[in-house]
Amino acid sequence: NEYKMLEETIQQTAFPNPYDNGPLTIESNKFDKDSKVEVFIFNAQQQLIQTEQAAIEARKVTLNGLEELENGIYFLIIQSSNSKEIVKLLVIH
């Protein structure tokens, strides 16, 4: 038997990262065009800090209203109907 491994390259970016203020843009080739996602923001202690809903436009999600996050490391779980992405975000004000 011959086994072949299919490797899928996932390209995702979050910018600006480190984050200071203003909109945060997350881009991924796993996002369906023109659909919606739910974003769960957890701190380093795995506490849910914030939940956002956003629309995907051209494989990008833009989040606003994150200025209230304190300095630290956060994990954003971006969940759509067909995928789940995890993004590490550093916040420095």
Side-chain angles (χ1 to χ4, degrees):
N1 290 337
E2 187 176 308
Y3 294 96
K4 292 185 180 180
M5 195 168 174
L6 179 62
E7 188 174 311
E8 181 180 352
T9 303
I10 299 173
Q11 297 175 340
Q12 69 181 18
T13 56
F15 52 91
N17 195 1
Y19 173 80
D20 183 15
N21 60 24
L24 174 73
T25 302
I26 302 164
E27 184 174 6
S28 175
N29 63 346
K30 293 283 286 183
F31 290 155
D32 281 342
K33 294 179 182 176
D34 304 322
S35 64
K36 294 186 179 185
V37 295
E38 195 162 11
V39 181
F40 303 94
I41 302 172
F42 291 87
N43 63 14
Q45 290 77 36
Q46 300 177 1
Q47 299 168 317
L48 180 63
I49 301 299
Q50 194 169 334
T51 303
E52 299 283 333
Q53 292 188 353
I56 298 172
E57 296 178 12
R59 299 199 186 275
K60 293 180 184 178
V61 172
T62 301
L63 300 175
N64 294 296
L66 302 181
E67 290 84 6
E68 300 298 319
L69 294 177
E70 296 180 8
N71 290 348
I73 297 172
Y74 294 86
F75 296 92
L76 284 62
I77 298 177
I78 303 105
Q79 188 165 345
S80 68
S81 61
N82 70 336
S83 71
K84 183 187 283 187
E85 302 283 326
I86 299 174
V87 174
K88 183 177 175 182
L89 180 67
L90 178 61
V91 174
I92 300 175
H93 295 289

